[in-house]
Amino acid sequence: AAGVIQSPRHLIKEKRETATLKCYPIPRHDTVYWYQQGPGQDPQFLISFYEKMQSDKGSIPDRFSAQQFSDYHSELNMSSLELGDSALYFCASSLSQESTDTQYFGPGTRLTVL
Amino acid sequence: GIQVEQSPPDLILQEGANSTLRCNFSDSVNNLQWFHQNPWGQLINLFYIPSGTKQNGRLSATTVATERYSLLYISSSQTTDSGVYFCAGLSGYSTLTFGKGTMLLVSP
C-alpha cells in the first residue's frame, strides 16, 4: 500500500539558511499534519491543513511557514535556521480532518543545522 | 490538549520475554494510536485503538476508554522489537499529543 512520502530524507544546512521540506500524502488523503521531533523528545505538532486550508496550528515558530497545494502535497518552509531547529520532521496524512481518523506518518526528514 | 503519560520510561528484556507498556491519558479520547520508532527514526503505526482490543501477530493492545488508559502487550519479544514505543491521543478537536515514550531494549 502507498505510504506518505517525504523529501528529502536528510538535509544539512548552515545557520541562517532556508530549508524546504516536502510531503506527499497517501492518495485520497486530504489532510496533512507536520510534526517536529527534537533529539530524545516526543513528536510535537506544528501545523495541519485540510483541503488546502490551514486547519490547526501548534508550536510552529514564526520563521516557519507551510502550505498545501491543489494536488494535496504540502511544503514546510523554514527560514533563518537556528541550531535548535535540528530535528526529525514528520509529515502525516489522514483520510479527512475527522479527529477519529488514523494519522499515517511518513519516514521523516532529518534536518541538521550546523 | 490532553496529557499523555507512559510507563515505564525504559525497559530491558531478554529475547523471548513478554512485556506490557502502559499509557494513561487525562481526558476521554476519540483517537488513540500506538507507534514504534525504530533505531532509524521511522515511526511505524502499530494500532489505532480508541477503545477495545486488537491483535496483530505478537502485539496486542487494549484501551479502556472509561478508565482512560491503554496497554500494549509484546509477547515473545525479539531484538527487532527494540526502539521507542509511543502512544498518542486526541480529545475533542485538539491535536494528536504524544507521550514521552517507552524505550525498549531486547537483548539476545
Side-chain angles (χ1 to χ4, degrees):
Chain A
V4 176
I5 297 171
Q6 292 188 244
S7 68
R9 295 292 306 279
H10 302 271
L11 192 57
I12 300 175
K13 291 285 186 178
E14 299 277 343
K15 279 196 312 183
R16 293 180 287 278
E17 286 190 321
T18 61
T20 297
L21 279 53
K22 296 185 178 182
C23 169
Y24 298 85
I26 292 172
R28 295 191 303 279
H29 283 198
D30 58 17
T31 306
V32 167
Y33 312 81
W34 285 97
Y35 293 82
Q36 177 191 57
Q37 185 181 25
Q41 305 293 313
D42 53 289
Q44 297 288 318
F45 171 75
L46 291 179
I47 195 167
S48 62
F49 292 87
Y50 167 66
E51 284 289 346
K52 294 154 281 184
M53 299 286 290
Q54 180 184 308
S55 55
D56 215 333
K57 195 172 182 179
S59 49
I60 184 169
D62 292 340
R63 299 177 289 107
F64 294 7
S65 65
Q67 57 182 323
Q68 185 180 30
F69 295 84
S70 57
D71 63 351
Y72 296 107
H73 94 273
S74 178
E75 295 183 4
L76 178 65
N77 299 293
M78 311 159 69
S79 63
S80 303
L81 286 169
E82 301 174 357
L83 296 178
D85 296 329
S86 295
L88 258 176
Y89 291 84
F90 290 103
C91 171
S93 74
S94 62
L95 195 58
S96 76
Q97 66 169 347
E98 291 296 324
S99 59
T100 51
D101 283 345
T102 303
Q103 293 186 25
Y104 296 91
F105 281 68
T109 294
R110 189 176 295 276
L111 172 66
T112 302
V113 181
L114 302 176
Chain B
I2 63 169
Q3 308 297 315
V4 180
E5 292 184 1
Q6 291 188 242
S7 60
D10 304 280
L11 189 56
I12 299 175
L13 299 174
Q14 285 277 319
E15 202 168 22
N18 303 327
S19 62
T20 301
L21 281 56
R22 186 177 178 106
C23 174
N24 292 331
F25 32 95
S26 61
D27 202 350
S28 57
V29 293
N30 43 7
N31 184 331
L32 186 90
Q33 297 184 223
W34 281 97
F35 299 89
H36 173 218
Q37 188 163 40
N38 62 25
W40 296 270
Q42 293 182 316
L43 269 177
I44 311 299
N45 283 73
L46 296 178
F47 295 102
Y48 167 82
I49 188 166
S51 64
T53 297
K54 290 186 178 179
Q55 180 155 7
N56 184 2
R58 296 181 296 103
L59 302 182
S60 63
T62 294
T63 297
V64 183
T66 53
E67 297 187 22
R68 300 180 184 173
Y69 72 88
S70 184
L71 302 174
L72 177 70
Y73 305 97
I74 305 174
S75 64
S76 304
S77 57
Q78 301 175 358
T79 55
T80 51
D81 294 332
S82 296
V84 182
Y85 289 80
F86 287 105
C87 73
L90 189 159
S91 178
Y93 296 99
S94 66
T95 57
L96 200 62
T97 299
F98 283 74
K100 298 300 181 188
T102 291
M103 181 171 290
L104 174 65
L105 176 63
V106 181
S107 57

